[in-house]
Amino acid sequence: MSEAKTPFLSDVKTLRERAKQHLGRGAVTSTYTGDVNKTIDLLQIVLATEIVCVLRYTMHSIAATGISSESVKAEFAQHAKEEQDHMNAVAERINQLGGRPNFSPEGLAMRSASQYVEGENLVDMIKENLIAERIAIDHYRELIRYFGDNDPGTRVMLEGILVVEEEHANDMHDLLVSHEGKPMLGR
Ligand SMILES: [Fe+2]
Ligand SMILES: [Fe+2]
């Protein structure tokens, strides 16, 4: 079996020959060493998490009221837009791997790692968003470690998303401090 002693770098001829095999698998080639079905299942959870984040931030950007709510609303709206970018990127990745992105509203809240909480007032909203961001950060960090070198494409996508979630968490933390005078969650 030539596969057993495959050199670290394949030559162009081998690359071309391999690429012609299993064209139906699209982006999933023989050097993909992850479990593609498991990857798709994990990404469906990430997709649901991002959809819930889009919904929650959008709701907050419209419903927030109170002193200085206009600037906070603008921040929520900006986050909603960035969560939508994440949603699209994850859905694209599921599609590249041969899966069907699950956008079904049925069971969405159950699939998502973070929760949809409306929040009674501006401070509650900020807190709920901070909690959701912290859940996403923990979850994505674990996934990045899990994918490692077996699926660098998925890992790099998640690393890009993680950086933005960390910014989001920091933004929510700063808003909380400016509205409450102290952080509500230990850092
Ligand atoms: Fe996100
Ligand atoms: Fe976020």
Side-chain angles (χ1 to χ4, degrees):
M1 291 286 282
S2 62
E3 282 291 353
K5 37 182 166 84
T6 303
F8 180 65
L9 288 173
S10 306
D11 60 37
V12 173
K13 186 166 169 282
T14 310
L15 284 172
R16 286 181 183 170
E17 274 166 12
R18 271 209 313 246
K20 284 184 209 148
Q21 296 162 5
H22 314 296
L23 288 179
R25 291 194 204 151
V28 183
T29 65
S30 63
T31 54
Y32 185 96
T33 51
D35 175 342
V36 75
N37 290 323
K38 176 109 191 271
T39 301
I40 291 167
D41 287 347
L42 290 168
L43 289 180
Q44 300 287 15
I45 297 170
V46 176
L47 177 60
T49 302
E50 294 296 340
I51 297 170
V52 167
C53 287
V54 173
L55 295 175
R56 196 191 54 254
Y57 272 122
T58 303
M59 189 277 178
H60 289 180
S61 74
I62 291 166
T65 52
I67 303 163
S68 71
S69 68
E70 283 311 311
S71 61
V72 179
K73 279 176 160 194
E75 185 125 23
F76 288 163
Q78 176 65 28
H79 285 202
K81 200 180 142 292
E82 285 162 356
E83 305 298 7
Q84 199 172 356
D85 293 341
H86 299 165
M87 177 190 85
N88 289 336
V90 174
E92 287 284 358
R93 186 65 186 159
I94 292 171
N95 185 60
Q96 278 172 11
L97 295 172
R100 278 169 73 83
N102 187 355
F103 278 91
S104 172
E106 207 164 308
L108 176 66
M110 295 298 292
R111 293 196 301 279
S112 166
S114 58
Q115 290 173 296
Y116 179 92
V117 183
E118 293 191 345
E120 290 293 307
N121 53 50
L122 194 62
V123 169
D124 275 355
M125 288 177 178
I126 298 168
K127 265 189 228 171
E128 288 306 331
N129 290 325
L130 179 53
I131 292 167
E133 295 293 354
R134 289 169 63 93
I135 291 170
I137 288 166
D138 260 357
H139 185 40
Y140 297 171
R141 264 198 211 121
E142 276 184 8
L143 288 176
I144 287 163
R145 278 192 216 111
Y146 169 81
F147 287 118
D149 291 334
N150 291 327
D151 186 343
T154 299
R155 189 197 71 224
V156 168
M157 176 194 71
L158 287 170
E159 284 172 350
I161 293 176
L162 175 66
V163 170
V164 178
E165 309 300 12
E166 286 176 340
E167 283 169 16
H168 288 173
N170 198 49
D171 291 345
M172 290 301 116
H173 177 264
D174 289 352
L175 280 180
L176 204 50
V177 172
S178 66
H179 283 80
E180 291 258 289
K182 58 179 173 17
M184 298 303 292
L185 295 168
R187 286 193 114 177

